Amino acid sequence: MNLSASQLHRAAKLQEKIEVLQKDLAALLGASSSSSTSDGKPAKKKRTMSASARKKIAAAQRARWAKQKAAAPDKKGK
């Protein structure tokens, strides 16, 4: 694509306007709008789990392990 000097100049001016508008928008919305990755997609928020939820999950897993261990044949008495 071949652009004339006036078209390049106009494109540069438009790019500057876009950057100014993006900065203004980021200032209005706060820091949350600027948290995006380099490809333009918003960054995923890290999910956190409460301590009580972790305890419930750990207890359920221990119960599954105990059930599996109880159901497994005893290998000592071969």
Side-chain angles (χ1 to χ4, degrees):
M1 175 161 67
N2 294 332
L3 298 176
S4 68
S6 63
Q7 288 173 322
L8 286 173
H9 183 68
R10 184 168 181 234
K13 289 268 189 188
L14 287 173
Q15 184 64 37
E16 289 175 9
K17 287 181 182 180
I18 290 170
E19 289 174 1
V20 168
L21 290 172
Q22 286 177 332
K23 286 180 184 177
D24 290 345
L25 181 61
L28 284 173
L29 298 178
S32 64
S33 66
S34 64
S35 64
S36 64
T37 58
S38 61
D39 59 358
K41 295 180 183 176
K44 291 186 178 181
K45 293 183 179 179
K46 185 176 179 183
R47 294 182 181 188
T48 58
M49 197 180 307
S50 68
S52 62
R54 282 194 302 269
K55 286 179 183 179
K56 288 177 186 178
I57 291 171
Q61 184 62 46
R62 282 193 290 274
R64 285 191 293 272
W65 287 334
K67 183 179 177 182
Q68 184 178 5
K69 188 174 181 181
D74 190 15
K75 293 186 179 183
K76 292 181 182 177
K78 275 189 172 179

